[in-house]
C-alpha cells in the first residue's frame, strides 16, 4: 500500500516535471499609458508561445528546428505600441469580421448595416478599430498538461457598425506534444454576423531567415472561392484541379506564384484566397501543412472552420520593420486564416456567419509542430 502511494507520488512528480507552464508579465505600455500584459506558455519540448492582451495577439512562437535550435516562427514587433502604429494584423485575433465585406454593407432581417470601408471599396478585418486593436482581459492563466490562457473582450452593441453586444473569448493552450490549440467563442445579445480568426504570419525558417517561397504547402481543399479585382468572392466554388491553386499534394509556394496567366494570381498579387476545407465544417479536420525544408520545421493545422484564407504576405512592402529590426518584404510569410468565407453576409449560399442570441459561436484551430 505504502509502496503504491510512493509510486503514485513519484508518477505525479514526473507528470509535473513534464507539465507545461504559464507565466504572466508586463509587456510595456502603449503611447497613451495603457499597460499591456503578456502570458507565456512554455512546454517541456522546447516550444513557447507569448500572447499579449493587445489584440489577444500571438506575439511570439518559439519552435525547435530539426537540430533542436529554437527560433521565433511568427512575424511581429518587439513592442506593443508598434502593433498599433503599424498594424498589419501580425498574430492578431481579428474581428468582428475577419476578411472582407463588399462595399462595407450587409443586410440582416431586412435592415442594412453600413461599415467603414478601409480596404479600397471594401470593409476589412473588422474596421478602423477591430479586435486586433482592443485591449483584451486576462480571465485565467493555468499550468498543467495544457498551459493555458483565456482572454476576453466585450464588444459594445454598434461597435464599428455591427449589431449586438458580443462577448468573446480566445483560449490559447499549449501541450507537450507541441500542439497550440486556439479556440474563439462568442455569444451575442442581438442577431449579428461575425468571423473570428487568428492572423499569424508564419515563417518557419525562424526569425525570418529566408522567405517562404521554398516552403512546401499542402492544402486539404479541392475547391476555392475565386475573387474579383477587389478580392471579393464572385460566388463561384471552383475546383483547384488543373490550376495554380491545386495544393492537394505538396507544392513549393514559389513554383506557381508568378503565373499571371491566371487572373486570380493577378488579383491577389500571388495567393490571397479562401480555400474550402475538405470534409465537414464544425468537425476538427486537417486543413493545411507547411514544411520548411532547411530547418525541417513542419506545421500541420486542423480547423473546424469551413474555409481557410491562404495569404503569402503579398502586401508586405519592406516598410515594416519587425522584431530585431527586420524589414518584412513580400513573400516573407504565410498566413493561414481559418474562418467562414469572405463576404459571407452577402452570399446566401456560403456557410453562414450569422449568430443569434442563445447560440454559441466556436472556431477551433490546432497548430501542431514537428520536424522532418
Ligand atoms: C488579407 C490580405 C491583407 C492581409 C493583411 C489578409 O487576410 O487577405 O489581403 O492584405 O490580411 O491585412
Amino acid at each position: 500500500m505504502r509502496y503504491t502511494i510512493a509510486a503514485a507520488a513519484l508518477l505525479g512528480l514526473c507528470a509535473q516535471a513534464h507539465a507545461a507552464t504559464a507565466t504572466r508579465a508586463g509587456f510595456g505600455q502603449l503611447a497613451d499609458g495603457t499597460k499591456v500584459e503578456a502570458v507565456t506558455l512554455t512546454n517541456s519540448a522546447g516550444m513557447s508561445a507569448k500572447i499579449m492582451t493587445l489584440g489577444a495577439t500571438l506575439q511570439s512562437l518559439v519552435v525547435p528546428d530539426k537540430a533542436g535550435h529554437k527560433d521565433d516562427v511568427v512575424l511581429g514587433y518587439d513592442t506593443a505600441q508598434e502593433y498599433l502604429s503599424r498594424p498589419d494584423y501580425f498574430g492578431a485575433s481579428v474581428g468582428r469580421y475577419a476578411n472582407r465585406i463588399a462595399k462595407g454593407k450587409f443586410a440582416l432581417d431586412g435592415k442594412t448595416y453600413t461599415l467603414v470601408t478601409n480596404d479600397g471599396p471594401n470593409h476589412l478585418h473588422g474596421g478602423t478599430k477591430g479586435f486586433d486593436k482592443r485591449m483584451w482581459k486576462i480571465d485565467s492563466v493555468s499550468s498543467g498538461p495544457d498551459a493555458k490562457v483565456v482572454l476576453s473582450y466585450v464588444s459594445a452593441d454598434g461597435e464599428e457598425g455591427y449589431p449586438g453586444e458580443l462577448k468573446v473569448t480566445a483560449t490559447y493552450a499549449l501541450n507537450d506534444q507541441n500542439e497550440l490549440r486556439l479556440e474563439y467563442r462568442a455569444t451575442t445579445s442581438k442577431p449579428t454576423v461575425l468571423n473570428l480568426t487568428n492572423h499569424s504570419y508564419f515563417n518557419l525558417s525562424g526569425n525570418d531567415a529566408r522567405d517562404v517561397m521554398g516552403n512546401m504547402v499542402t492544402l486539404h481543399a479541392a475547391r476555392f472561392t475565386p475573387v474579383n479585382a477587389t478580392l471579393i468572392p464572385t460566388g463561384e466554388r471552383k475546383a483547384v484541379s488543373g490550376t495554380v491553386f491545386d495544393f492537394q499534394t505538396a507544392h513549393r509556394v514559389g513554383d506557381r506564384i508568378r503565373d499571371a496567366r491566371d487572373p486570380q494570381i493577378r488579383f491577389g498579387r500571388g495567393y490571397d484566397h479562401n480555400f474550402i476545407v475538405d470534409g465537414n465544417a464544425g468537425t476538427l479536420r486537417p486543413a493545411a501543412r507547411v514544411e520548411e525544408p532547411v530547418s525541417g520545421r513542419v506545421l500541420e493545422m486542423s480547423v473546424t472552420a469551413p474555409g481557410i484564407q491562404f495569404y503569402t504576405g503579398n502586401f508586405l512592402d519592406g516598410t515594416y520593420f519587425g522584431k530585431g529590426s527586420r524589414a518584412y518584404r513580400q513573400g516573407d510569410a504565410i498566413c493561414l486564416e481559418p474562418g467562414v468565407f469572405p463576404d459571407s453576409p452577402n452570399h446566401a449560399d456560403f456557410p453562414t456567419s450569422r449568430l443569434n442570441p442563445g447560440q454559441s459561436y466556436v472556431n477551433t484551430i490546432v497548430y501542431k509542430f514537428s520536424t522532418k
Side-chain angles (χ1 to χ4, degrees):
M1 178 68 173
R2 224 182 303 150
Y3 178 79
T4 319
I5 291 169
L10 193 65
L11 273 175
L13 270 179
C14 292
Q16 245 178 27
H18 287 284
T21 58
T23 53
R24 180 173 177 167
F27 192 70
Q29 59 182 52
L30 302 177
D32 70 0
T34 307
K35 295 224 177 330
V36 179
E37 282 189 280
V39 172
T40 304
L41 312 176
T42 307
N43 73 7
S44 63
M47 248 186 91
S48 67
K50 187 182 279 190
I51 298 103
M52 67 166 173
T53 47
L54 175 67
T57 298
L58 182 60
Q59 192 271 334
S60 99
L61 186 63
V62 172
V63 180
D65 70 6
K66 64 183 174 195
H69 295 301
K70 297 177 193 172
D71 290 304
D72 193 349
V73 299
V74 291
L75 271 48
Y77 297 110
D78 287 319
T79 65
Q81 179 57 38
E82 289 169 284
Y83 284 84
L84 277 187
S85 313
R86 282 309 307 271
D88 211 42
Y89 311 95
F90 292 130
S93 293
V94 181
R96 287 191 188 192
Y97 198 93
N99 219 309
R100 292 173 174 81
I101 296 180
K103 302 192 168 76
K105 285 201 188 307
F106 68 93
L108 207 57
D109 301 330
K111 186 167 176 217
T112 299
Y113 292 88
T114 303
L115 312 168
V116 69
T117 49
N118 55 338
D119 184 64
N122 303 317
H123 177 81
L124 178 70
H125 293 333
T128 312
K129 195 169 176 191
F131 291 180
D132 60 299
K133 298 174 194 72
R134 303 279 175 180
M135 292 301 299
W136 294 55
K137 198 169 131 283
I138 296 175
D139 282 353
S140 68
V141 176
S142 52
S143 301
D146 280 336
K148 202 192 282 188
V149 57
V150 183
L151 300 109
S152 65
Y153 176 66
V154 180
S155 173
D157 187 3
E159 188 179 282
E160 290 291 330
Y162 293 94
E165 182 190 71
L166 201 68
K167 292 187 171 154
V168 186
T169 61
T171 303
Y172 287 84
L174 178 68
N175 66 20
D176 278 338
Q177 287 69 53
N178 281 351
E179 284 171 345
L180 179 67
R181 186 186 177 99
L182 174 46
E183 192 160 272
Y184 291 107
R185 288 182 170 269
T187 55
T188 183
S189 65
K190 290 181 187 164
T192 192
V193 296
L194 82 163
N195 187 31
L196 306 179
T197 197
N198 182 276
H199 206 302
S200 287
Y201 285 69
F202 292 99
N203 184 317
L204 300 185
S205 70
N207 298 326
D208 196 30
R210 290 172 287 283
D211 68 29
V212 300
M213 292 303 123
N215 285 197
M216 299 294 292
V217 167
T218 310
L219 297 174
H220 300 280
R223 292 174 302 163
F224 77 112
T225 52
V227 288
N228 67 20
T230 72
L231 300 183
I232 294 296
T234 59
E236 192 191 349
R237 300 173 195 226
K238 188 172 176 180
V240 295
S241 298
T243 76
V244 302
F245 293 87
D246 191 351
F247 284 92
Q248 293 177 103
T249 56
H251 280 275
R252 278 180 81 249
V253 172
D255 277 354
R256 301 167 298 173
I257 200 169
R258 294 173 193 271
D259 191 347
R261 287 172 301 179
D262 190 323
Q264 289 298 315
I265 289 287
R266 296 181 182 215
F267 294 156
R269 301 190 187 183
Y271 297 109
D272 193 357
H273 295 81
N274 168 63
F275 286 70
I276 303 175
V277 180
D278 296 338
N280 294 326
T283 312
L284 195 65
R285 62 212 191 286
R289 183 178 196 279
V290 183
E291 192 184 312
E292 207 280 317
V294 182
S295 66
R297 289 191 184 91
V298 177
L299 162 62
E300 286 164 292
M301 276 177 73
S302 300
V303 307
T304 53
I308 192 163
Q309 184 83 8
F310 174 50
Y311 169 60
T312 42
N314 313 335
F315 295 98
L316 298 176
D317 60 5
T319 64
Y320 295 81
F321 307 113
K323 294 175 218 174
S325 284
R326 299 281 295 169
Y328 293 146
R329 296 159 57 94
Q330 195 171 45
D332 273 354
I334 288 176
C335 299
L336 290 157
E337 307 150 51
V340 292
F341 304 171
D343 198 31
S344 123
N346 293 310
H347 292 267
D349 63 334
F350 278 2
T352 187
S353 55
R354 181 183 176 123
L355 185 71
N356 292 317
Q359 291 179 326
S360 294
Y361 167 94
V362 188
N363 186 12
T364 307
I365 311 168
V366 178
Y367 307 93
K368 177 164 177 61
F369 289 89
S370 57
T371 55
K372 196 178 143 183

